Amino acid sequence: MQLYAGGSGSIRGYKYHSIPTTPARNMFTASAEIQQRVYKQVYLTGFYDMGNVANKKIFKDSKKSFGAGVAIVSPLGTFELSIARPINKNKKNSIQFSMEPPL
């Protein structure tokens, strides 16, 4: 089984399924996010993500990113637009959109 990370569902500063660059079997991801309501169902968010996919030494060279976004909660689900910056390398900001179904 091939595992991937990166994108709005895991490490937001990296492109979708861009981690790893070679096949690997072990994955970890962690994320912390804070949200503050600013108007009715509109929230500002701040987050920090980290993770890696590797065969050995999975915590070595883990990928990290941080950023901010805007989330709108609706009956159709939560829509979030975020901008993230990778910490590990000198990469450009990543703008991502995600939708989660209602709980």
Side-chain angles (χ1 to χ4, degrees), residues 34-86:
I34 187 166
Q35 297 181 346
Q36 175 63 49
R37 182 183 292 193
V38 291
Y39 179 76
K40 294 187 180 183
Q41 301 300 90
V42 178
Y43 296 81
L44 290 179
T45 65
F47 58 86
Y48 177 82
D49 299 330
M50 69 181 294
N52 199 9
V53 178
N55 285 321
K56 297 179 181 177
K57 299 181 182 181
I58 194 162
F59 298 107
K60 183 181 179 185
D61 299 325
S62 62
K63 314 303 186 259
K64 301 171 184 86
S65 68
F66 67 96
V70 175
I72 299 171
V73 179
S74 77
L76 297 175
T78 302
F79 299 89
E80 186 169 0
L81 181 65
S82 61
I83 184 166
R85 175 110 183 145

Side-chain angles (χ1 to χ4, degrees), residues 81-102:
L81 181 65
S82 61
I83 184 166
R85 175 110 183 145
I87 295 173
N88 303 70
K89 295 185 177 182
N90 196 9
K91 291 189 173 188
K92 295 181 180 180
N93 292 342
S94 174
I95 298 174
Q96 296 172 344
F97 175 78
S98 65
M99 181 188 156
E100 297 176 14

